[in-house]
Amino acid sequence: MQKGIRFNGRPVWAEIRLSALAHNIKAIRRHVNQPQAGQNSRSRRKVLAVVKANAYGHGAVPVARALARAGADWFGVTCTAEGIELREGKIRKPILVLTGFWPGEEKRLLEHNLTPAITRCEQLRMLERAAARMRRRVKFHVKFQTGMNRLGLSPGDVPCFARTLASCPHIECEGIFTHFASSEVFTDDRVEQQRREFERILEQLRGLEVTAPLIHMANSAAVASRPETWASMVRPGLVLYGYHQRYEPPELTAQTNAKLPLQPALALRARLISLRHTPSGQAVGYNGRWIAQRPSRVAVISAGYADGLPRSLTNKGRVIIRGRFAPLVGTVSMDLTTADVTDIPDVSVGDVATFYGADGDATQYVSEVAEQLGTVTSELCCALGTRVPRFYLP
């Protein structure tokens, strides 16, 4: 724990190391700009840092500021509101609204200099009208779906897109992109199928005289492990925060981490607020889901699922106290969690419990807990509660 952290109130908090964020984006920039045949310094790939969902729970504005200082070229958000939050936080880099816009939001996009993603042909007309009213030339990116089958124009929409764009003098296509459904999976060729489909779309667009300076398709796992997808810009998300995807086959996860070492930025900590001697045979917590099998010392920790601690850790998780692991026992409740500290000597009220992060030689990161629970790291990061104060450390 950072000794300088002091605050009043309920003792649960998150620490975000800005140096880890800077390390990660610099490592990514070096990684995707390794010398390659035919590449020169002027063709450096740009990096769009994805800071949607409150920067994966880490805090959008402070994280974006740190990443901007460390070399992010663009930022990616989900919606107009997230983009406006960054602008109000003095972020001046280009911001791409990845999932497009809702009818009526066009004026807000333009007022805050946000770059929209076009995901349906009719959005071109909406954007054109807004740009014409404001007497501005507005740039956008267009998304094509190539296998995710979610948002984006279909390959068959290419003629409609080109025809409509030609009749819209106030808007300009700055970027063309797609999104991979399973870039961490190397046991089939789905990513390669998507890449080839995207190349066909680009070729068809060129034939219709539609080009763009920015072409992007690589999300986190593709950034780390698929150089053939890097194009002119990449879109790292989870890797910015220090975590790789879990690859298939599994041995690729360690190989990828060795190739692109990352530093987890997040620690989640709380304090012990009570210690109780629990006789053998006594139950602890809601529904008595844990029963002491021996005389035990049980610590009550001031964090629960409302703070982002998954309730599914009930009777299966662990926490670090005084540099040692203690099992979580009983049901994880909204505000409190309990741990069996019988085997940790000298534990006292006020000690720090680390759910994610390091304490001494002991470490436990979000990705490990996510793997234990059979979920994705991003879910646990995004679950970090709004009532948990964030402290941004060097």
Side-chain angles (χ1 to χ4, degrees), residues 184 238 243-248 253 308-313 316 356 365-384:
E184 72 279 11
L238 185 64
Y243 311 102
H244 284 289
Q245 306 283 355
R246 290 198 297 278
Y247 283 78
E248 295 180 20
T253 304
L309 195 65
R311 192 171 184 270
S312 51
L313 284 174
K316 68 168 74 169
Y356 309 140
Y365 296 116
V366 185
S367 53
E368 298 171 76
V369 177
E371 184 172 12
Q372 178 189 6
L373 296 178
T375 188
V376 293
T377 306
S378 301
E379 180 186 0
L380 299 193
C381 289
C382 292
L384 193 63

Side-chain angles (χ1 to χ4, degrees), residues 159-236:
C160 168
F161 171 78
R163 186 171 57 251
T164 305
L165 179 60
S167 65
C168 296
H170 295 90
I171 60 176
E172 176 184 346
C173 184
E174 183 183 24
I176 305 170
F177 72 108
T178 192
H179 190 61
F180 292 134
S182 51
S183 55
E184 72 279 11
V185 177
F186 281 78
T187 53
D188 59 44
D189 67 346
R190 283 177 290 176
V191 171
E192 181 58 21
Q193 289 177 21
Q194 283 196 253
R195 189 188 69 80
R196 288 197 299 265
E197 183 66 64
F198 189 52
E199 291 294 342
R200 284 191 288 269
I201 290 169
L202 293 174
E203 183 178 358
Q204 189 177 2
L205 287 168
R206 286 191 293 268
L208 296 169
E209 299 184 347
V210 177
T211 59
L214 294 176
I215 306 298
H216 48 110
M217 53 185 140
N219 50 5
S220 282
V223 167
S225 59
R226 295 182 184 270
E228 69 278 9
T229 70
W230 291 345
S232 57
M233 186 162 74
V234 296
R235 300 191 310 269

Side-chain angles (χ1 to χ4, degrees), residues 272-335:
L272 311 191
I273 59 173
S274 179
L275 287 166
R276 181 178 298 278
H277 291 282
T278 304
S280 178
Q282 288 294 302
V284 172
Y286 284 117
N287 305 122
R289 294 174 67 183
W290 183 79
I291 298 174
Q293 301 299 304
R294 59 175 178 170
S296 302
R297 201 171 187 215
V298 175
V300 180
I301 308 169
S302 60
Y305 60 75
D307 304 297
L309 195 65
R311 192 171 184 270
S312 51
L313 284 174
T314 293
N315 284 340
K316 68 168 74 169
R318 61 182 187 171
V319 65
I320 308 170
I321 301 170
R322 290 183 174 251
R324 297 179 61 178
F325 285 102
L328 298 179
V329 297
T331 302
V332 175
S333 59
M334 185 179 291
D335 309 306

Side-chain angles (χ1 to χ4, degrees), residues 13-76:
W13 69 97
E15 300 166 10
I16 293 90
R17 288 208 169 269
L18 301 180
S19 59
L21 296 171
H23 165 88
N24 295 337
I25 193 167
K26 288 176 181 178
I28 290 164
R29 286 186 62 184
R30 288 192 301 270
H31 181 68
V32 300
N33 284 292
Q34 300 170 53
Q36 295 178 359
Q39 183 182 359
N40 57 51
S41 59
R42 284 182 289 183
S43 63
R44 179 183 68 83
R45 290 184 176 90
K46 295 184 182 298
V47 177
L48 181 151
V50 179
V51 292
K52 62 183 180 178
N54 197 29
Y56 288 53
H58 292 65
V61 171
V63 166
R65 288 174 178 167
L67 293 174
R69 290 193 297 269
D73 299 293
W74 280 70
F75 290 101

